[in-house]
Amino acid sequence: MGNITKIDKKGNTIATHPISSVGNFKGICYIGVGYFAVIQQVNRDLYLVLAKLDFSSSVKIIKTLKTLDALNNPHGVCTDGKFFYVLVQASTLPISGKVFKLDKKGNTIKIFSLTTGSLLRFRALTFNGKHFFATEIKNNEMWQLDQNFNLIRTFPLPENLNRGACFDGVNLWVGGATNDDLYCLDYQGNVKNQIMPSAGNLIGVATDGKYFYL
């Protein structure tokens, strides 16, 4: 069972709802006007679930897209407003990760490889309107990537096991699974703000600019 918890910017819980009764919850991103995209793995299949959350009743599933066989381990999801991008952890060298670019019907448009020469562990993906940012938990780094997923640079993350990332229109936020805290970062990795929500076992982070959804 995966839950989505809505918190304010002080870390107070506003509401909590279950999002799934089967499979593994893998990530979440905000796509506008109360709608979210959620990654869910069921057996070996990867699903992109579009959901409407108003937290006044149960979660309303709008559409479920079977996107691809999860031969590798899926993790983060983000959108540029036109396409979805799903981060998948590759299991063999020299590729440590892949990003699947999907249209809104779930069709694969392109696959990008994160080739490193060492097996790294990517866990979250977000987009700030210009660049993509992926968390890597082996070295606790944020990877800044261009729109073809070429590495621009890396900078350190403040907590181990950063499995969630989002952009609020101004700042980058990451969520660590060691303390389950949220951190607002500048582009050098310095912490500008820290939120300590009560929700534990943080997997993904999304924001509508006002609230966070964990």
Side-chain angles (χ1 to χ4, degrees):
M1 175 71 72
N3 293 320
I4 295 180
T5 299
K6 179 180 180 180
I7 67 168
D8 63 21
K9 290 192 174 182
K10 293 182 178 180
N12 300 308
T13 297
I14 306 300
T16 298
H17 271 305
I19 185 61
S20 170
S21 59
V22 294
N24 296 318
F25 184 80
K26 291 292 185 177
I28 183 172
C29 72
Y30 182 71
I31 58 178
V33 200
Y35 290 89
F36 294 81
V38 176
I39 290 294
Q40 181 182 0
Q41 185 178 357
V42 183
N43 297 322
R44 301 296 294 177
D45 293 326
L46 176 65
Y47 292 84
L48 182 63
V49 180
L50 307 185
K52 172 72 172 179
L53 306 181
D54 60 15
F55 290 96
S56 61
S57 59
S58 61
V59 174
K60 182 180 181 182
I61 302 300
I62 305 300
K63 185 183 295 185
T64 299
L65 308 174
K66 181 179 177 181
T67 59
L68 52 99
D69 291 331
L71 298 177
N72 299 295
N73 198 7
H75 286 285
V77 59
C78 70
T79 183
D80 61 5
K82 184 177 181 180
F83 297 99
F84 293 109
Y85 298 84
V86 178
L87 178 65
V88 174
Q89 177 67 51
S91 58
T92 57
L93 294 175
I95 298 172
S96 286
K98 299 177 183 177
V99 176
F100 285 77
K101 181 179 181 179
L102 310 173
D103 66 19
K104 291 188 177 180
K105 294 182 179 180
N107 300 309
T108 300
I109 304 301
K110 191 171 183 178
I111 302 173
F112 300 92
S113 295
L114 303 178
T115 303
T116 64
S118 61
L119 190 58
L120 302 180
R121 300 168 64 195
F122 295 98
R123 286 297 181 270
L125 185 68
T126 192
F127 181 64
N128 74 347
K130 183 178 181 181
H131 295 134
F132 290 92
F133 295 83
T135 64
E136 194 283 303
I137 64 173
K138 183 178 179 180
N139 298 307
N140 298 314
E141 292 180 334
M142 181 74 88
W143 282 42
Q144 184 175 351
L145 304 151
D146 67 19
Q147 294 190 30
N148 289 312
F149 289 91
N150 299 306
L151 178 63
I152 298 172
R153 64 192 182 99
T154 65
F155 54 86
L157 291 172
E159 187 179 315
N160 296 333
L161 301 177
N162 291 271
R163 298 188 295 181
C166 64
F167 178 68
D168 67 2
V170 178
N171 298 302
L172 287 172
W173 291 82
V174 296
T178 301
N179 299 322
D180 294 312
D181 290 351
L182 293 179
Y183 301 88
C184 177
L185 304 179
D186 65 17
Y187 292 101
Q188 284 73 46
N190 299 307
V191 177
K192 299 169 64 177
N193 191 14
Q194 182 176 352
I195 298 174
M196 293 175 281
S198 59
N201 194 23
L202 191 153
I203 300 296
V205 179
T207 184
D208 58 9
K210 184 177 181 181
Y211 297 102
F212 291 100
Y213 303 84
L214 316 179

